[in-house]
Amino acid sequence: MFFCPGGSAPGKFKGSRSFQVLCSLSLGMSKEVKILLVRVKSDGRQTYNISEVEEQRIPLSTISIRNTASELIKACKGVWVKGKFKESYLLPAFSVKPNIEVHIPIPRDKLNPPTPSIYLESKRDAFSPVLLQFCTDPKNAVTVIRGLAGSLRLNLGLFSTKSLVEANSDHAVEVRTQVQQPADENWDLKGSSQTWPCESSRSHTTIAKYAQYQASSFQESLEVCISCFFFPSSEQKPVGKVIKFGTNIDLSDPKRWKPQLQELLKLPAFMRVESSNNMLSHVGHTILGMNTVQLYMKVPGSRTPGHQENNNFCSVNINIGPGDCEWFAVHENYWEAINRFCEKHGVDYLTGSWWPVLEDLYSSNIPVYRFIQRPGDLVWINAGTVHWVQAVGWCNNIAWNVGPLNSYQYQLALERFEWNEVKKVKSIVPMIHVSWNVARTIKITDPDTYKLIKHCLMQSIKHIQILRDQLVASGKKISYQSRVKDEPAYYCNECDLEVFNLLFVTSESSSKKSYVVHCEDCARRKSPALTAVVVLEQYRIEELMRTYDNFTLVSVMLQMFTKASRFL
């Protein structure tokens, strides 16, 4: 990562003055003393007595989202935190997660609950607010919308293998080499017992070459079927065939994939790649596969191992066909139990590759949704749902993430943000950065969502102000460098933690004159007194205070009136 201290944008540093001299300007927090002028008369003359007013300060421990930014800043004065500021961005009292009793035994025949499936009869049904409410209901882990493509007249042929080859035959494809197995089994390398680790190796090819493989695989299977029909054998078909899965194919380029991306604009707003109420549209930069479309090219047995989406965001997946896919899904409430199984089997829940043994889940009282996704079906994975997928036939799929601006999605995204920090895993979505962007641009009408976001902003200001005061008190100079358009969020170069507003910058190489960003902890490990570190501030505290105070709960009626007034 390159950074230009004193400049207006990240990039290579240019100039003759030294790194330290350029960043020597300190823009400390402006201070003022309130003075009370008392008019008095003495010997017939009018004069004034001057007295300093001691303002009453609210204890930081009692500060809440009902307080103003000014009261919050004053409460932070004089607070000294030894080590890292560790208060959570979440408040348990604001939790909106459904109460699911995981300890009540579930009868075996209830451990495969029916998957909610919606059959649309018209285009109007697809755009009904009832559909949005159903899909995002915290109690619904997954929803299958049958025949959505037909209802909206989506031209899925644009995503067929033939169309993809014609459009961009040399486009890159990541390939996962896997061993073909039944969807409800996962055998170890010796084939002696079922296990959780799901092994695969990675390579790369092009769309044209994978298309040839996909076609030859189908032809080979067809020949085997014909042979078996005319020449039946008592011998079993050999298992453990090696297959190749074409995954993570990037369709983000609007020039290369214009017809495909335009076709997806036919979807309801809450399912689209980009919309105003999608938190991922407020990141400010591209996150491949999340706020862009990715394509998957499959042969039978191709597996997407178990996972929750990055930062627990929702996902949309459409089967292009011609074959089916089989899905397994578990409500977010059970993710910790699944995490324990991963630990038991020596595979990392967040970064490893694993395929749950169904019997393990059933014996632990964990219900599993299991269903078939046919061509034209859209699968909506709700926030935090654990899921894994296997191709039944030859097919292509397209998928992306969405972040509906509701309390459940926001809470789960922030929970995973904090859990990632504990596990030292990068949060692909910079949640603090996104929260401030949402506060600046979106009017929130839901009280629960408002409280969660407001509390996050409050904790963010506390962290910034306390850290800032401690830096200034220790004599550390802080330089102001405002953000520029489309500037990405920053992460620590060492631990991948999101770094918001106060950036600790060091020189990577004296010869290259390039610089990297760190969090405070990692910066102090390199230089305990921060002597070789420049601290940059991207937002003045007054700007954050204005955003905080202006972020208020808006009534639904007021929002409707505001929208209507635009057309008058």
Side-chain angles (χ1 to χ4, degrees):
M1 182 180 293
F2 301 104
F3 208 88
C4 177
S8 59
K12 286 283 187 179
F13 175 79
K14 296 180 181 179
S16 58
R17 287 183 294 176
S18 72
F19 179 63
Q20 292 289 345
V21 172
L22 265 178
C23 298
S24 63
L25 178 62
S26 174
L27 295 173
M29 176 70 181
S30 58
K31 298 180 179 180
E32 61 179 42
V33 176
K34 282 197 174 181
I35 302 296
L36 181 65
L37 299 180
V38 182
R39 187 169 58 183
V40 296
K41 287 187 178 181
S42 177
D43 298 330
R45 292 188 306 166
Q46 184 172 284
T47 185
Y48 292 90
N49 281 344
I50 298 175
S51 62
E52 182 178 329
V53 178
E54 181 66 33
E55 290 191 79
Q56 189 174 8
R57 191 170 69 181
I58 303 170
L60 186 59
S61 60
T62 63
I63 286 286
S64 73
I65 61 173
R66 291 187 294 272
N67 294 106
T68 65
S70 179
E71 290 170 333
L72 173 57
I73 293 295
K74 288 171 188 171
C76 290
K77 292 293 183 182
V79 174
W80 189 267
V81 177
K82 186 178 181 181
K84 190 176 181 181
F85 182 86
K86 293 181 179 178
E87 286 188 10
S88 173
Y89 289 100
L90 289 157
L91 190 65
F94 291 164
S95 177
V96 295
K97 293 172 75 169
N99 184 23
I100 298 176
E101 292 292 344
V102 297
H103 301 297
I104 297 177
I106 301 173
R108 181 63 185 241
D109 61 338
K110 302 291 185 183
L111 288 171
N112 276 127
T115 304
S117 300
I118 296 177
Y119 292 80
L120 299 178
E121 295 182 358
S122 66
K123 182 178 179 180
R124 179 184 296 178
D125 292 342
F127 287 84
S128 167
V130 176
L131 182 61
L132 167 62
Q133 291 168 9
F134 187 89
C135 288
T136 56
D137 187 327
K139 293 180 181 178
N140 295 330
V142 58
T143 303
V144 186
I145 303 174
R146 302 289 186 189
L148 178 80
S151 299
L152 298 179
R153 296 185 179 179
L154 286 175
N155 180 11
L156 297 186
L158 291 169
F159 299 93
S160 68
T161 299
K162 180 176 181 292
S163 296
L164 296 169
V165 171
E166 291 173 352
N168 290 288
S169 60
D170 293 331
H171 199 62
V173 177
E174 179 184 325
V175 175
R176 287 285 177 173
T177 301
Q178 303 172 332
V179 176
Q180 191 179 59
Q181 303 183 66
D184 54 0
E185 297 177 10
N186 188 54
W187 296 91
D188 61 19
L189 294 176
K190 295 179 181 178
S192 58
S193 63
Q194 292 206 55
T195 186
W196 280 61
C198 180
E199 304 296 333
S200 68
S201 59
R202 184 167 66 173
S203 59
H204 294 85
T205 187
T206 64
I207 284 180
K209 289 180 180 178
Y210 189 86
Q212 289 177 345
Y213 165 74
Q214 200 178 39
S216 62
S217 168
F218 177 78
Q219 186 64 35
E220 178 187 319
S221 180
L222 190 62
E223 290 171 358
V224 169
C225 286
I226 293 172
S227 175
C228 290
F229 180 80
F230 287 104
F231 306 101
S233 172
S234 59
E235 295 182 10
Q236 287 188 336
K237 183 181 177 181
V239 294
K241 177 183 176 183
V242 174
I243 58 170
K244 295 180 179 180
F245 170 25
T247 184
N248 298 336
I249 304 166
D250 173 30
L251 303 190
S252 64
D253 191 333
K255 293 181 180 178
R256 284 190 169 200
W257 305 105
K258 184 178 179 179
Q260 287 79 7
L261 298 179
Q262 282 188 333
E263 193 67 16
L264 297 180
L265 295 177
K266 293 179 181 178
L267 290 168
F270 79 95
M271 295 178 180
R272 290 177 199 157
V273 181
E274 186 175 351
S275 68
S276 60
N277 280 330
N278 178 358
M279 278 188 276
L280 294 175
S281 296
H282 299 279
V283 174
H285 60 268
T286 296
I287 305 177
L288 291 177
M290 290 201 73
N291 55 13
T292 66
V293 180
Q294 281 192 331
L295 170 78
Y296 304 86
M297 302 176 74
K298 305 176 181 180
V299 297
S302 296
R303 284 185 166 181
T304 300
H307 66 289
Q308 290 172 294
E309 297 295 318
N310 289 319
N311 282 95
N312 281 335
F313 275 80
C314 298
S315 73
V316 171
N317 186 297
I318 301 175
N319 185 6
I320 306 302
D324 298 339
C325 286
E326 184 167 13
W327 287 67
F328 302 83
V330 173
H331 194 280
E332 185 273 343
N333 218 61
Y334 299 93
W335 80 266
E336 289 176 286
I338 295 177
N339 177 46
R340 287 192 290 271
F341 273 116
C342 287
E343 290 176 347
K344 178 182 176 181
H345 288 272
V347 60
D348 190 278
Y349 177 81
L350 293 175
T351 61
S353 181
W354 44 271
W355 191 267
V357 176
L358 291 179
E359 194 54 44
D360 287 345
L361 301 182
Y362 297 148
S363 62
S364 297
N365 205 44
I366 299 174
V368 181
Y369 295 96
R370 184 175 182 177
F371 60 93
I372 296 294
Q373 178 194 28
R374 302 182 184 91
D377 289 349
L378 182 146
V379 173
W380 173 275
I381 292 293
N382 208 2
T385 296
V386 186
H387 57 288
W388 54 106
V389 189
Q390 178 158 314
V392 177
W394 290 262
C395 61
N396 294 343
N397 289 68
I398 52 173
W400 58 92
N401 291 105
V402 289
L405 204 46
N406 62 54
S407 54
Y408 183 62
Q409 171 66 91
Y410 184 81
Q411 178 180 336
L412 292 191
L414 212 49
E415 281 184 357
R416 183 47 49 89
F417 174 83
E418 295 193 338
W419 178 245
N420 284 345
E421 181 180 350
V422 171
K423 304 301 286 185
K424 300 189 183 306
V425 172
K426 183 177 182 177
S427 280
I428 304 300
V429 182
M431 284 303 299
I432 309 306
H433 172 80
V434 168
S435 298
W436 281 102
N437 283 352
V438 167
R440 288 186 196 96
T441 56
I442 300 295
K443 301 297 183 184
I444 303 295
T445 58
D446 174 60
D448 290 330
T449 308
Y450 165 75
K451 286 188 290 186
L452 284 163
I453 297 175
K454 188 80 169 183
H455 186 265
C456 177
L457 302 183
M458 183 186 78
Q459 293 298 90
S460 177
I461 287 182
K462 281 166 66 174
H463 175 244
I464 291 166
Q465 187 59 34
I466 291 171
L467 175 57
R468 199 184 192 292
D469 285 348
Q470 290 183 181
L471 289 169
V472 172
S474 66
K476 187 63 188 174
K477 295 178 179 179
I478 300 174
S479 298
Y480 174 70
Q481 179 172 281
S482 63
R483 290 179 61 83
V484 297
K485 189 175 185 290
D486 297 328
E487 186 174 350
Y490 287 98
Y491 291 86
C492 176
N493 189 61
E494 307 296 324
C495 69
D496 280 333
L497 179 70
E498 181 188 352
V499 184
F500 179 77
N501 193 35
L502 293 175
L503 312 181
F504 294 78
V505 185
T506 62
S507 174
E508 189 178 60
S509 167
S510 57
S511 59
K512 291 182 181 178
K513 292 185 178 178
S514 58
Y515 308 95
V516 293
V517 172
H518 307 273
C519 67
E520 183 196 7
D521 280 2
C522 292
R524 288 193 184 277
R525 286 193 194 99
K526 285 180 170 289
S527 176
L530 300 178
T531 52
V533 178
V534 169
V535 181
L536 298 179
E537 183 176 47
Q538 295 202 297
Y539 299 97
R540 297 192 190 279
I541 197 68
E542 293 83 1
E543 182 182 349
L544 296 178
M545 289 170 68
R546 278 195 302 273
T547 301
Y548 182 83
D549 286 336
N550 290 336
F551 181 64
T552 56
L553 184 63
V554 177
S555 71
V556 177
M557 291 302 295
L558 178 61
Q559 189 180 49
M560 290 173 62
F561 176 78
T562 304
K563 287 182 178 179
S565 65
R566 294 174 187 167
F567 300 97
L568 297 178

